[in-house]
Amino acid sequence: MASRFGHAPSMRGWRLKEGGSGAAGRVGARIVMSVEIWLEAERDQLVLWVPVALACGITAWLLLPDVAAWTVFLLLAGGTALAGLAMPGGGRAARAVAVFAGLAALGCGLIWARAERVAAPVLARTTVATFEARVVVVDPLPARELVRVVLVPDVGTGGALPPRTRVNIADADVPAGLAPGARIALRRG
């Protein structure tokens, strides 16, 4: 079946090159050729590995403990991608390794950037404060009999609160007219 983008070059007629001397070189060459043949047979399905590669990078970010480990993963994945591009012969296996490693690095980088973008300050300890704020989001949670409200406290809180505060209010305590843009006064504790 021909696709509108055409097909990758066929490996039909390739011969097994002797890789190195002795039996180990021949076994290595046979393994590389077997991988190349498999990739040739599956060339139309290789695009299905894109989400798998991205998920590998995301999983690495979730499993690795800190910034240093994430940086090492990105460097290793990027180095592997460059090594795949630099492999002699230009076969499909070298390109597959390069693309997979590059996409894994991309997946790790994307989730790291997303985490940094949505990160918010967290209160280090319990804080009791009386403050006024502007309501940004009102999210009713009927199953929990709560209303979750996202607030932007006024500047006069003395830096005791983060720039955005999320508060759960029991349904019975919700003031009338609570909507985005409304002003509310709370005692936090």
Side-chain angles (χ1 to χ4, degrees):
M1 177 170 116
S3 77
R4 64 185 181 135
F5 299 111
H7 286 289
S10 176
M11 290 180 46
R12 191 171 296 147
W14 280 28
R15 294 196 174 269
L16 180 63
K17 292 181 182 177
E18 296 296 327
S21 61
R26 286 190 296 275
V27 169
R30 288 187 193 282
I31 290 172
V32 169
M33 185 53 69
S34 296
V35 169
E36 289 287 346
I37 291 170
W38 176 75
L39 289 170
E40 169 67 18
E42 297 294 324
R43 71 176 180 234
D44 292 334
Q45 286 78 31
L46 291 179
V47 73
L48 299 175
W49 285 93
V50 169
V52 174
L54 289 170
C56 285
I58 292 168
T59 302
W61 186 86
L62 292 171
L63 294 177
L64 294 172
D66 57 11
V67 173
W70 303 332
T71 303
V72 168
F73 176 80
L74 286 174
L75 291 173
L76 287 174
T80 303
L82 290 174
L85 292 174
M87 290 175 104
R92 203 177 302 274
R95 289 190 307 267
V97 166
V99 169
F100 192 91
L103 287 170
L106 179 65
C108 183
L110 286 173
I111 192 162
W112 189 356
R114 172 72 175 155
E116 290 293 326
R117 193 175 63 111
V118 299
V122 177
L123 294 174
R125 58 185 167 78
T126 302
T127 303
V128 177
T130 301
F131 66 96
E132 291 186 18
R134 181 176 49 87
V135 177
V136 178
V137 176
V138 177
D139 186 17
L141 305 171
R144 296 177 58 196
E145 297 179 354
L146 294 172
V147 174
R148 180 169 291 151
V149 183
V150 177
L151 306 170
V152 175
D154 290 344
V155 178
T157 59
L161 297 172
R164 291 173 65 100
T165 303
R166 188 177 68 200
V167 177
N168 290 333
I169 304 173
D171 280 342
D173 298 333
V174 174
L178 185 66
R183 307 272 316 146
I184 189 169
L186 294 172
R187 179 176 181 267
R188 185 175 188 285

